[in-house]
Amino acid sequence: YEMKKMDEMELEINLKSVRITHIFTMFFLIVWVVYNWITYSTLGLPFILLLSQNIVLIVSYLFMKWSMGKDEE
């Protein structure tokens, strides 16, 4: 099985799909965190998921930006 390289249109569609999925997940987790806070006065698992998802996003973005900048030198 050989993976083919995506063309620009496929890449754009893929990035938009990931973006929409990320926004949906963020919205869902924020609503869940607010619900848990109002109902149980606790943050719980949804807050941990929300926080860790954003930490992974920021760290991976910074790492890729750093590694691509390193390649240009």
Side-chain angles (χ1 to χ4, degrees):
Y1 176 74
E2 185 177 325
M3 288 185 58
K4 71 179 185 116
K5 194 170 184 174
M6 285 191 269
D7 63 12
E8 288 182 33
M9 186 178 76
E10 288 175 323
L11 184 60
E12 185 67 25
I13 291 169
N14 191 24
L15 288 174
K16 283 184 180 181
S17 298
V18 169
R19 213 172 278 132
I20 291 168
T21 303
H22 180 74
I23 291 168
F24 171 78
T25 304
M26 292 286 295
F27 177 75
F28 184 85
L29 286 173
I30 289 169
V31 169
W32 194 7
V33 166
V34 170
Y35 172 78
N36 273 355
W37 183 255
I38 291 170
T39 306
Y40 306 111
S41 297
T42 184
L43 295 172
L45 180 62
F47 181 73
I48 294 169
L49 292 171
L50 183 66
L51 191 65
S52 62
Q53 175 183 359
N54 285 299
I55 289 171
V56 169
L57 176 71
I58 292 167
V59 169
S60 63
Y61 173 80
L62 292 173
F63 177 76
M64 285 187 267
K65 190 174 177 182
W66 172 78
S67 70
M68 288 182 180
K70 189 174 77 170
D71 290 342
E72 291 176 357
E73 294 174 358

